[in-house]
Amino acid sequence: MGSASNDGGTDEPITVLTFDLEETRYCVRAESVASVLSVTDDDPLAAADDPWDAGTLSAAGERVRVVDLPRVFGSSFRTAARVDDPKLLVFSVTDDDGRYYGWLVDDVDVTRRVRAASLEVPAMTTTHVKGRLEIDGDDVVWLDERTIHS
């Protein structure tokens, strides 16, 4: 498939980290995630005007710029029905201000090994989704962290 060229043109296994937003399972390259943190108070993030830049949190002495994925990819009423214990995926890249990127998600699962050739490219043109694949019988949306951070 043409999508394999995005991953070096080979069909080597790739490790992805799966996570949930509402009823949908997503994944991202595991190697791009530096850590997973619990968020005890996400009220300031939920009140932010722009879910793509929902604010900055401090974690382990580092600043993390948060993308509020439940508001970006979830339903419009999501802020009223947020989960009690959201997680923050902290990526190993920083923005121009030295802040790490972080994605607020509902829950984080485990890493899985997948093959790039199993990725089905999206039917519609989208910059944030690499495609869909099946992992353990579940339909999983593979997000492209590079385009979300740009």
Side-chain angles (χ1 to χ4, degrees), residues 1-25:
M1 289 192 158
S3 61
S5 63
N6 293 341
D7 296 302
T10 67
D11 191 27
E12 290 296 315
I14 299 167
T15 302
V16 295
L17 178 64
T18 57
F19 60 93
D20 297 323
L21 293 173
E22 297 182 352
E23 302 301 317
T24 305
R25 175 140 306 173

Side-chain angles (χ1 to χ4, degrees), residues 19-22 26 39 41-57 64-83 86-89 91 101-107 143 148-149:
F19 60 93
D20 297 323
L21 293 173
E22 297 182 352
Y26 293 85
V39 176
D41 181 14
D42 65 335
D43 289 344
L45 303 173
D49 290 335
D50 181 4
W52 289 98
D53 189 5
T56 302
L57 297 176
V64 181
R65 175 184 170 189
V66 178
V67 176
D68 190 346
L69 282 193
R71 288 176 54 207
V72 170
F73 289 108
S75 25
S76 58
F77 60 83
R78 186 68 185 116
T79 55
R82 294 172 82 90
V83 297
K87 302 293 186 238
L88 184 68
L89 301 180
F91 290 83
Y101 288 98
W103 294 357
L104 192 67
V105 301
D106 289 349
D107 193 27
L143 295 181
I148 290 177
H149 297 161

Side-chain angles (χ1 to χ4, degrees), residues 13-148:
I14 299 167
T15 302
V16 295
L17 178 64
T18 57
F19 60 93
D20 297 323
L21 293 173
E22 297 182 352
E23 302 301 317
T24 305
R25 175 140 306 173
Y26 293 85
C27 72
V28 68
R29 276 179 185 275
E31 69 184 26
S32 64
V33 178
S35 62
V36 177
L37 306 171
S38 289
V39 176
T40 54
D41 181 14
D42 65 335
D43 289 344
L45 303 173
D49 290 335
D50 181 4
W52 289 98
D53 189 5
T56 302
L57 297 176
S58 291
E62 299 292 346
R63 294 178 311 142
V64 181
R65 175 184 170 189
V66 178
V67 176
D68 190 346
L69 282 193
R71 288 176 54 207
V72 170
F73 289 108
S75 25
S76 58
F77 60 83
R78 186 68 185 116
T79 55
R82 294 172 82 90
V83 297
D84 291 335
D85 187 24
K87 302 293 186 238
L88 184 68
L89 301 180
V90 180
F91 290 83
S92 55
V93 295
T94 59
D95 66 9
D96 293 339
D97 295 325
R99 297 178 297 178
Y100 286 89
Y101 288 98
W103 294 357
L104 192 67
V105 301
D106 289 349
D107 193 27
V108 176
D109 196 19
V110 296
T111 58
R112 305 275 192 211
R113 302 277 287 166
V114 299
R115 294 197 174 275
S118 66
L119 186 67
E120 297 176 18
V121 294
M124 296 175 54
T125 303
T126 175
T127 57
H128 304 308
V129 175
K130 283 188 176 190
R132 292 182 179 272
L133 56 137
E134 187 177 305
I135 300 176
D136 296 338
D138 291 329
D139 190 33
V140 179
V141 177
W142 190 335
L143 295 181
D144 186 347
E145 73 278 1
R146 294 176 202 132
T147 59
I148 290 177

